[in-house]
Amino acid sequence: MRKVWDVIVDLIYEDPWQFFGPLVAVAVLYFLAQSVTAAWLGIVLFALVGLSLLLSLRRER
Amino acid sequence: MHVFVVLAVFIAASVEFVEAFTIVLAAASVRGWRPAIYGTLAALVALVALVAAFGYAILALFPLGAFRALVGIILLLFGLKWMRKAILRATGRKALHDEAAIYEREVQTLRSGGENAEALSFATAFNGVLLEGIEVIFIVLTLGGNAGMLDSAILGAALAFVVVLAAGLLLRAPLSRVPENTLKWIVGVMLTAFGTFWAGEGIGIHWWQQDVSIIVLIALYALLGYSLQRWLQPQAPQGAL
């Protein structure tokens, strides 16, 4: 259990966007998927995960 | 023996085995074979225990959607972490190979009695094999059970396992010649793509052409990673040897 916690702390410490971004993306898409069944939801999920990666790299520029 | 049931299960199970093997290969290429194989074996033991305990009841009892979402999110987090690090290394913002840092890390590992990266590798292989293994069990029980040809379905799955394993072992040698950071970059892209697909499937997204979407996601994440690398612009490497 301690190792799992260490990994989570590592992820947040390196950059919060890479941890919270995908979680928020999946949560938003979960609520959308309850009412919409279109395949473009997959593209939205990809876009939100991609945005998380972009934001986590932004301060390195 | 029913040839069509064997063939149908062979094709369906091959897709799942290829996905599982890709995950194991990815985990092994980052942290060596030991934690990846331990993760795989632990997942196989769990699968055998699940089938022995529940049999056909597993179809009704197991919350496959929630499990897919959980495994997907875990892979998504691991994959994004690897992709980010590989991009930073490729642009010189992180050392490619820093002996002092590696020594310090190994010392810390000995002191703490563990290694997060090994736990990551184990968990990645375990989750991937467990999820895909459960999907193969569902395929065998539904296709074989409905046709009353469970032995044909098991044969189809066993053949798929042997063929995918043989093909995967042949791939090991060429993969070992790929530069380390390039390999980690690819692993990050693959895990993020698989994680996105499974998390999406788990929360109810209907992917275009189902598993074919994984290939599209891999291409999209590779393009995104390459674009972000260009956007960051190369710097002089930090302490690279």
Side-chain angles (χ1 to χ4, degrees), chain A residues 2-3 6, chain B residues 104-117:
Chain A
R2 204 176 70 86
K3 275 186 181 174
D6 286 349
Chain B
E104 189 56 37
R105 195 180 62 206
E106 291 302 323
V107 170
Q108 287 296 330
T109 300
L110 288 172
R111 280 180 189 153
S112 63
E115 171 69 73
N116 286 344

Side-chain angles (χ1 to χ4, degrees), chain B residues 202-221:
Chain B
I203 59 175
I205 290 176
H206 299 278
W207 289 102
W208 173 77
Q209 299 295 321
Q210 295 174 338
D211 288 26
V212 175
S213 286
I214 296 175
I215 299 166
V216 178
L217 282 170
I218 289 171
L220 286 174
Y221 277 119

Side-chain angles (χ1 to χ4, degrees), chain A residues 3 6 10-11 14-15 18-19 22-23 26 29-30 33 37 39 42 45-46 49-50 53-54 56 60-61, chain B residues 73 76-77 80-81 83-85 88 93 114 116 119 196 200 203 205-207 220-221 224 228 231-233:
Chain A
K3 275 186 181 174
D6 286 349
D10 269 1
L11 279 169
E14 276 174 12
D15 192 281
Q18 71 172 343
F19 181 75
L23 292 185
V26 172
L29 265 291
Y30 171 76
T37 54
L45 181 57
F46 161 76
V49 173
L53 183 61
L54 171 72
S56 81
E60 305 285 347
R61 196 162 187 247
Chain B
I73 289 169
L76 198 48
L77 294 176
L80 220 53
K81 177 187 166 80
M83 221 175 138
R84 182 175 183 275
K85 272 189 177 169
L88 291 178
R93 284 167 174 80
N116 286 344
T196 305
I203 59 175
I205 290 176
H206 299 278
W207 289 102
L220 286 174
Y221 277 119
L224 175 72
L228 287 174
W231 175 69
L232 272 182
Q233 296 163 355

Side-chain angles (χ1 to χ4, degrees), chain B residues 30-219:
Chain B
V30 168
R31 202 59 206 174
W33 280 97
R34 202 183 59 160
I37 287 174
Y38 284 170
T40 304
L41 291 177
L44 291 176
V45 170
L47 286 169
V48 170
L50 274 173
V51 173
F54 297 111
Y56 269 101
I58 200 171
L59 291 178
L61 290 175
F62 204 83
L64 192 58
F67 188 61
R68 273 186 189 138
L70 179 70
V71 171
I73 289 169
I74 292 170
L75 284 190
L76 198 48
L77 294 176
F78 292 175
L80 220 53
K81 177 187 166 80
W82 275 333
M83 221 175 138
R84 182 175 183 275
K85 272 189 177 169
I87 290 173
L88 291 178
R89 282 197 194 96
T91 52
R93 284 167 174 80
K94 199 171 173 64
L96 277 172
H97 198 73
D98 188 338
E99 295 294 350
I102 290 169
Y103 173 75
E104 189 56 37
R105 195 180 62 206
E106 291 302 323
V107 170
Q108 287 296 330
T109 300
L110 288 172
R111 280 180 189 153
S112 63
E115 171 69 73
N116 286 344
E118 285 211 359
L120 265 174
S121 180
F122 176 93
T124 304
F126 178 82
N127 286 328
V129 173
L130 192 63
L131 176 61
E132 294 305 328
I134 285 170
E135 292 193 13
V136 170
I137 290 169
F138 272 58
I139 290 165
V140 168
L141 291 182
T142 47
L143 283 177
N146 288 340
M149 301 270 179
L150 202 57
D151 52 349
S152 302
I154 291 171
L155 178 67
L159 283 174
F161 178 77
V162 172
V163 169
V164 172
L165 188 68
L169 291 175
L170 285 175
L171 265 175
R172 265 184 66 190
L175 271 179
S176 66
R177 286 194 287 273
V178 178
E180 189 185 341
N181 197 51
T182 308
L183 202 59
K184 285 180 175 169
W185 197 94
I186 295 168
V187 167
V189 166
M190 304 272 275
L191 291 186
T192 311
F194 274 104
T196 305
F197 179 80
W198 284 337
E201 221 178 19
I203 59 175
I205 290 176
H206 299 278
W207 289 102
W208 173 77
Q209 299 295 321
Q210 295 174 338
D211 288 26
V212 175
S213 286
I214 296 175
I215 299 166
V216 178
L217 282 170
I218 289 171

